[in-house]
Amino acid sequence: MERGDYRIKVDLHVHTVSSGHAYSTVEECARWAAEKGLEAIAVTDHGPAVPGSGNIYHFWNLKVIPRRLHGVVILRSVEANILDTEGTLDLPDKVLAALDVVHAGLHPYTGYQGESVEENTAALLSAVRHPLVDIIVHPDNPAFPVDMEAVVEAAVREGKALEVNNSSFTYTRSGSEENCRRMVRLLAERKGLVAVGSDAHVASFAGEFGEAIEILRETDMAPSSVINYSIERLEEFLARRGKQLRLE
């Protein structure tokens, strides 16, 4: 792996119709991912606190989705909602423990009441400490300002990844760029980990990482620090977290 080589082969953040505000099926997302040469996608539909999203049975029943569609590995995942400053998530641990990868983040209209930097930071720090959470999604969202240095230090200490979310720079979360650059610089200094996600809400956006990769280049973030550079790299990350990725 050469420095500056960001040919990322796994999209860890893809939504389907089960999110309620996304517009493609798992099969459609896999087909587009295959056309773009991806090895795997994670189906990360929103947790139940997002209006219109899947209920607990959706996530419990992800086991019925084939492990491969169109040659693409399908990872069973969730974009769980952080509900309070204690880091409470909107799915029980028993369900989270059955998933391949667990994302967590702050979202509007989910019941989260925090408004201050202190409250938002406490919520993310609590989620980082949650033993089943692997990735904190879009922590650079200006709608939920945080003490980024504290969040980065906690993520490095706990061996968790912070997300560089491509859609934050294209059609959602306007104004994230500077927060993201600072986050990635701090991670690079501390040898932390990043996850890159398209946050696709339609199948054709799966595997779209262009703006996120530009930020990695600008901040000279090592490709070896990207946990989803390849399926092997993701397996290594999860193994260090005590999780075995079963692909059959």
Side-chain angles (χ1 to χ4, degrees):
M1 184 189 306
E2 296 180 5
R3 193 166 188 84
D5 179 359
Y6 298 103
R7 289 174 291 183
I8 296 168
K9 293 296 186 179
V10 178
D11 191 343
L12 281 177
H13 198 152
V14 176
H15 292 274
T16 76
V17 289
S18 293
S19 282
H21 58 280
Y23 306 96
S24 304
T25 65
V26 175
E27 191 276 336
E28 289 168 335
C29 292
R31 180 154 41 85
W32 276 93
E35 290 182 9
K36 296 180 183 182
L38 294 181
E39 296 175 340
I41 60 172
V43 176
T44 54
D45 286 313
H46 285 281
V50 167
S53 63
N55 59 32
I56 190 171
Y57 268 76
H58 166 81
F59 299 97
W60 171 79
N61 203 39
L62 284 173
K63 59 192 175 186
V64 305
I65 296 177
R67 269 305 186 187
R68 285 178 174 80
L69 288 170
H70 301 286
V72 175
V73 171
I74 307 299
L75 301 169
R76 300 154 185 169
S77 188
V78 64
E79 185 175 8
N81 298 288
I82 303 170
L83 303 180
D84 53 37
T85 57
E86 301 302 312
T88 304
L89 303 181
D90 58 345
L91 283 175
D93 286 359
K94 185 175 181 179
V95 174
L96 296 174
L99 301 177
D100 298 318
V101 187
V102 176
H103 303 62
L106 296 172
H107 297 90
Y109 311 116
T110 60
Y112 175 73
Q113 300 296 320
E115 296 182 352
S116 67
V117 169
E118 292 76 17
E119 289 171 313
N120 297 336
T121 302
L124 289 195
L125 293 181
S126 295
V128 167
R129 290 192 293 268
H130 192 299
L132 296 174
V133 169
D134 303 300
I135 299 165
I136 300 296
V137 293
H138 43 70
D140 50 9
N141 186 354
F144 297 102
V146 298
D147 178 343
M148 190 60 75
E149 188 156 355
V151 172
V152 167
E153 287 179 354
V156 172
R157 183 170 60 252
E158 298 290 335
K160 308 296 179 75
L162 301 181
E163 184 193 43
V164 179
N165 185 302
N166 198 72
S167 79
S168 294
F169 321 121
T170 55
Y171 58 93
T172 58
R173 293 178 290 275
S174 177
S176 297
E177 289 88 346
E178 281 309 308
N179 288 342
C180 188
R181 289 187 185 93
R182 181 163 185 267
M183 178 184 79
V184 178
R185 287 191 185 101
L186 288 169
L187 285 167
E189 290 170 4
R190 292 159 173 77
K191 301 188 185 307
L193 301 170
V194 297
V196 178
S198 69
D199 200 358
H201 282 63
V202 294
S204 59
F205 287 159
E208 294 297 315
F209 306 128
E211 284 76 8
I213 286 173
E214 281 306 307
I215 286 183
L216 298 183
R217 292 189 193 282
E218 288 174 23
T219 53
D220 201 29
M221 188 68 174
S224 59
S225 297
V226 179
I227 67 167
N228 54 310
Y229 183 88
S230 65
I231 193 69
E232 291 81 12
R233 180 81 179 97
L234 180 63
E235 287 183 289
E236 291 169 5
F237 166 73
L238 293 174
R240 289 198 301 273
R241 304 228 338 94
K243 293 186 175 184
Q244 182 180 357
L245 192 55
R246 296 179 175 87
L247 301 181
E248 301 301 334

